Amino acid sequence: MTTPTAPRYAGLDGLRAVAVLLVALYHLFPAWFLRSGFVGVDVFFVISGFLITSLLLRERAATGRIALRAFWTRRARRLLPALALVVTVSATLAWVIGGDVLVGLGRQVLGAATFSYNWTSIGAGASYFGGAEPELLRNLWSLAVEEQFYVLWPLLLPVLLLVRRPWLRIVVALALAAASALWGFAVAGDALTRAYYGTDTHAFGLLLGVALAIALSGRVRASGAVAAPGAVGAAGAVGAAGEVGARGRQAGSRHALAALGILALAGLVAVASVPGGASLFPLVPLAASLLTVAVIALAVRPGSLLGRWLDTAPLRWVGERSYGIYLWHWPVVVLLAAATTGTFVDTAIPVEIGAVALVLTVAVAAVSYRLLEQPVRRRGFGGALRALGARLASTPTRRLRALTAVTAGALVIAGTGAALLDTPVASSSEAVVHAGADALARASVSPAPAATETDAAPAPSASATDAPRDPRAKPRPPAPVHVPGDRITAVGDSVMLASAEGLLETRPGIQIDAAVSRSMWAGGEIVQSLAAQGALRDYVVVGLGTNGPVDAGELQTVYDALGPHRCLVLVNAFAPRDWIPGVNAELAAFAASHPRVTVADWAGAIGPQPDLLAGDQIHPGPTGGEVYANTVGGTVDAIENQQAEARYEVELIRWSTLRAFDRLPSPAP
């Protein structure tokens, strides 16, 4: 008994095109309006859940069983050729480029080969939304989730079918989807990437597709309206399990349903445009999944205008190649940015690089679809190898093409091996942070260098001098002062930590408390603790604006802990993050409204020379650390010299007044 072939549902290729465009535009043009375009992945999840369940239900109804081996073989033919090509070519090009694009490549290739990319990333502490590390194969996390579904769902579906009533099966699928979403909500509060990557926490889209397939399948069986597999109706809809309704539907009703479908598509784009949608997980992906369910239900109906519109030739062309486009777009932009700029930050991809990456992605995906994916799908792996062997024994022209393909394959396999052997232990940003931590560790176990005479000397305008000043003499202007490190306390994040060596060299004896991923939320508590210990020095430097927004309440907590005599230096932030302008504006406003508060303009100092930063465009390298130290130290010195200048002006006014009234004291005998 033959296995039923998969039906073609009207509009689903077009919907795939919408999904892949959302994801690709979100990644390649991060400054555009699709701030939550990652929900295109959720559209794919719903489509996969719907199609796979529909196929399995058709097979079960036609043959009484599910042929697992045949099902998994078809999935392997569909997925593995393009995946193997993307992984090997990307790894080889990464080896040629070198640098940060090789970081973690071994773990990524392992995750791709075992379809466990999401879980290996979770185990490694990777971040989908971090954006600062060029994780070459990051987009393969969703393929891993789908493949895990393909492995498990054919085994679990017969259990669900033990439930006799179709409506109850739908309830079970919806309950599982709700449980996945609720579990994702619970996990996301502490670990957003864990919730986003997790098969358990991100399965709701797949399960909603399952529920839709069961619902439509039940209606088809009830009506007996099963069309021949692969047959396309005059309205562009394909007969398949799940189609409902009568053929004589009135034109007004058809247009009304099409309008609802267009509204659902518009809603999907609106959801993809929500700013900061990652922080709203799973609400934003869940909304996209529900809208996708509505679009599919309206598109696959017999005579659906929506299905016909989504089946237009350009959308179908993109949809048929959407798998390859999705696989290629991310590695292409990572490699292109690294090769042309030497860095990669996915929140600040230049528009021209994004445009070139899009063109290259579509071109490579089209070639892969025609020359690799389709031949393997039609002939199988064995048939494709036999066809290659036949070409090698054929005419010289065909033999040359076959030899070229074999040679290219051998080269990329060798390049992948070389890349795996050449993988660096840490990225450039991790390296500079580790170097700063090492410098702090060395300083903590070694005595601080003796202060130089310039460092140790108090400000010339101070009252303590080697000899009393002649009261009749005119006050002398203060000499420039270099504030020693033993008068400075610094509290900061990983940017300050990466700059620790520069701070220790320029200000020996400086007190530094810096840590990775620290935000201003922690600043008040740290400063309060140091104040309670009596450990705060004359100048308190706070650099905590990189890792999130800052509000006046947090700054006020820090300010109140200083007491009335210390000065606060707020270091502004430089990073390709959308909250940085707001952070710097808040710091400037706070300094303008509070005495004894000054901003150290790190952003202005490093902005013209970003080549002094690591690959993430956030953390300074050795020379960048010197710029950071000079910016902070120069600001502290400026405060001290301004105070000395103010004291000098007061003394000069007093001297001038006394002299005018001839009331200067007589010289000492």
Side-chain angles (χ1 to χ4, degrees), residues 367-391:
V367 172
S368 171
Y369 180 79
R370 180 178 178 180
L371 300 183
L372 179 65
E373 297 170 53
Q374 287 298 92
V376 173
R377 287 184 76 179
R378 290 194 304 265
R379 300 169 180 163
F381 294 104
L385 288 175
R386 286 190 294 272
L388 180 62
R391 285 177 176 271

Side-chain angles (χ1 to χ4, degrees), residues 445-466:
V445 298
S446 304
T452 64
E453 182 178 351
T454 302
D455 289 335
S461 57
S463 58
T465 57
D466 293 336

Side-chain angles (χ1 to χ4, degrees), residues 278-367:
S279 62
L280 300 175
F281 184 85
L283 297 179
V284 168
L286 181 59
S289 300
L290 292 170
L291 288 166
T292 304
V293 168
V295 173
I296 294 174
L298 293 167
V300 301
R301 296 170 63 90
S304 168
L305 290 177
L306 179 64
R308 180 192 300 176
W309 295 338
L310 285 172
D311 267 337
T312 56
L315 286 177
R316 281 191 61 181
W317 190 93
V318 173
E320 289 169 350
R321 293 154 184 80
S322 60
Y323 175 60
I325 293 172
Y326 178 79
L327 289 183
W328 281 105
H329 83 280
W330 180 257
V332 165
V333 75
V334 171
L335 294 168
L336 190 61
T340 56
T341 68
T343 62
F344 177 79
V345 182
D346 68 351
T347 54
I349 297 171
V351 173
E352 58 274 16
I353 289 180
V356 173
L358 182 60
V359 173
L360 285 176
T361 294
V362 174
V364 175
V367 172

